[in-house]
Amino acid sequence: SRSHPNEPIHRYVELENVGHCPNHEAPHAVGSVLKRWLDNGERSNDNLFLVDGKYQTFNEPWGIITSRELDENEARMSIKDRVLSELFC
């Protein structure tokens, strides 16, 4: 849970078998994650689940896409990504 109401919530969803343009290659997978995030009015980490279960699969035009939500310990960001995240979040 957040200590301050305006503290950002960092979430990371990994999509396997997707290249640099996931919204075009896996529109159902991306849409599912975004819909869950947008439909959650509370926006707390405790009540927000972006993926059904441990893994969720989607049959996309490009093939089978697997999505999974990673916790902060699993999602390793580069130093550049961490700096950019802090600047823009």
Side-chain angles (χ1 to χ4, degrees):
S1 69
R2 298 182 291 177
S3 58
H4 189 275
N6 293 327
E7 183 180 327
I9 298 172
H10 299 279
R11 303 303 286 268
Y12 182 80
V13 175
E14 178 181 77
L15 298 175
E16 294 180 10
N17 196 25
V18 175
H20 69 280
C21 197
N23 55 314
H24 289 272
E25 297 172 36
H28 296 103
V30 172
S32 174
V33 170
L34 289 176
K35 182 171 179 8
R36 285 172 174 264
W37 178 71
L38 292 171
D39 286 348
N40 185 305
E42 194 174 318
R43 300 274 197 281
S44 75
N45 269 340
D46 299 333
N47 297 322
L48 179 60
F49 300 97
L50 300 175
V51 176
D52 283 337
K54 185 168 175 94
Y55 297 94
Q56 189 171 0
T57 58
F58 297 88
N59 190 6
E60 300 282 5
W62 299 100
I64 302 296
I65 306 300
T66 302
S67 66
R68 72 183 188 117
E69 188 168 359
L70 304 177
D71 65 27
E72 289 184 37
N73 295 325
E74 292 177 292
R76 303 280 186 236
M77 291 195 303
S78 69
I79 292 173
K80 180 178 90 174
D81 289 337
R82 282 184 283 190
V83 168
L84 291 172
S85 175
E86 290 299 318
L87 285 174
F88 296 107
C89 291

